[in-house]
Amino acid sequence: RVLHDGSADGEERLERLTKIGSVYHERIGDVAKAFAALAEALRGAPESEETLGRLEILAAEREAFPELVALVQELAGAVEDPVLSRTLWIKAATMQDSQLGDVDGAVGSYLKCLDIDAGDLEILGALEALYRRTSRWRDLVGVLRRRAELSQDPIEQEDLLAQMAGIHDAQLGEPHEAIRVFKEILEIDPASQRALTALDELFARQAMWSDLADNVDRQLTLAQDPDVQIGLMNRLADLRETKMSAPEAAIEIYRQVLERDASNAPALAALERLLNEPQHQVVIAEILEPIYQAAS
């Protein structure tokens, strides 16, 4: 089948060379000459899917995929029609990947498609799949970044950026880059629970206590459920006390917790523990005394 109409002479030449190729292949059994005839036919009609399909069959028989890939790449770079050029570059990439195991070559052919249209989502998807399959993580991050820049959907942007952050952390061993990307998500959606939760874990793992406290405080600002608020307040107080050497700030937060819930066990236990430190005894006693009296 021919994708685009050509001149009558071109069609006649294609038909003649196709017949010659068939004779060499089917009657004479000379695969090399059959391949040469069909290669000449494809040069004259690079839009012919049928001719390219026949060449693929012959290439498999004589292990001539390097030769066929070179021909298709040559034609892809020579044709003026960008749609046909793209089709041929994709065909070259597919053969390089599946038939030759040439991942770098396939990437190069796909990138030629992006030279035609930098926003070609189908090609970006093909590169993404190729990079994932071959564990080319840094290249994958680049593709995900380009997809995120092209997307107009905040939900999709967040998902792509979160994937990037996960790769930076788990596959590339770059937790600080992961943090930077999750912060980028918060610029898009300041209430992103996905980013806030991920940053919690990253900050804790990197012992970035001040950043973690800010992150917990941000979650506290966003929280609507009173029980969730109290849980976050206790967590923030514990950070101030145990990780940031700020017991006075912790005591104040515990006091606020007990104003909301006088029987809150974590806050009471923390203050009772801190009561053993003389410099805090007066302040803590003022907080606990009315609670103990009400409970007696």
Side-chain angles (χ1 to χ4, degrees):
R1 181 167 68 88
V2 179
L3 296 181
H4 303 285
D5 292 334
S7 67
D9 288 345
E11 291 179 359
E12 289 174 4
R13 184 170 182 274
L14 174 62
E15 184 178 353
R16 184 174 67 253
L17 288 168
T18 300
K19 287 180 179 178
I20 292 171
S22 296
V23 169
Y24 274 124
H25 183 215
E26 298 169 9
R27 297 186 184 181
I28 300 176
D30 191 331
V31 177
K33 288 186 177 179
F35 187 92
L38 288 172
E40 186 179 348
L42 189 65
R43 287 183 185 278
E47 71 278 6
S48 174
E49 287 185 345
E50 182 178 351
T51 304
L52 183 52
R54 288 172 181 266
L55 279 167
E56 286 188 81
I57 294 172
L58 294 175
E61 287 188 25
R62 65 186 293 260
E63 298 182 352
F65 275 105
E67 186 177 343
L68 180 55
V69 166
L71 172 61
V72 172
Q73 288 182 314
E74 177 189 338
L75 296 173
V79 298
E80 295 182 359
D81 179 359
V83 176
L84 178 56
S85 178
R86 176 185 183 275
T87 298
L88 291 170
W89 282 120
I90 292 173
K91 175 58 70 174
T94 302
M95 290 189 291
Q96 287 169 299
D97 182 25
S98 62
Q99 300 298 334
L100 300 178
D102 181 5
V103 175
D104 288 336
V107 168
S109 293
Y110 281 131
L111 291 178
K112 289 292 186 180
C113 295
L114 293 181
D115 288 341
I116 297 170
D117 177 6
D120 191 325
L121 293 177
E122 181 183 350
I123 298 302
L124 290 172
L127 282 169
E128 180 182 343
L130 184 59
Y131 291 148
R132 285 188 189 278
R133 196 184 78 234
T134 56
S135 301
R136 295 176 60 151
W137 304 117
R138 201 167 297 284
D139 290 326
L140 177 56
V141 165
V143 169
L144 293 172
R145 166 63 68 187
R146 185 173 295 192
R147 285 188 57 199
E149 290 171 349
L150 290 169
S151 177
Q152 300 299 314
D153 181 355
I155 295 176
E156 182 183 36
Q157 286 180 324
E158 177 174 338
D159 182 64
L160 292 167
L161 290 171
Q163 289 183 56
M164 287 174 55
I167 293 167
H168 276 300
D169 184 32
Q171 274 74 40
L172 296 175
E174 298 172 344
H176 288 281
E177 275 300 302
I179 289 169
R180 184 186 63 77
V181 177
F182 277 123
K183 286 183 176 180
E184 192 175 338
I185 291 175
L186 291 178
E187 292 176 5
I188 298 171
D189 177 12
S192 171
Q193 195 58 50
R194 183 176 190 174
L196 290 168
T197 300
L199 285 170
D200 252 19
E201 194 273 334
L202 283 162
F203 287 144
R205 184 155 29 100
Q206 298 302 306
M208 298 171 65
W209 306 122
S210 179
D211 293 281
L212 178 55
D214 289 344
N215 194 55
V216 173
D217 194 43
R218 185 170 192 164
Q219 294 178 66
L220 180 58
T221 301
L222 294 168
Q224 300 296 318
D225 185 291
D227 291 337
V228 172
Q229 291 175 344
I230 287 176
L232 289 167
M233 291 171 72
N234 275 326
R235 187 168 173 224
L236 183 59
D238 181 70
L239 278 170
R240 300 289 189 202
E241 177 195 350
T242 64
K243 303 296 185 183
M244 301 176 69
S245 302
E248 292 83 2
I251 290 168
E252 173 58 22
I253 297 172
Y254 287 132
R255 181 188 64 76
Q256 294 173 17
V257 169
L258 292 173
E259 286 179 351
R260 295 185 178 205
D261 176 12
S263 62
N264 185 268
L268 287 170
L271 288 177
E272 288 169 354
R273 182 184 65 254
L274 287 166
L275 192 59
N276 293 321
E277 299 181 16
Q279 67 269 36
H280 304 311
Q281 287 177 346
V282 173
V283 174
I284 293 175
E286 291 176 352
I287 297 171
L288 293 179
E289 185 176 3
I291 295 174
Y292 290 158
Q293 288 178 346
S296 61

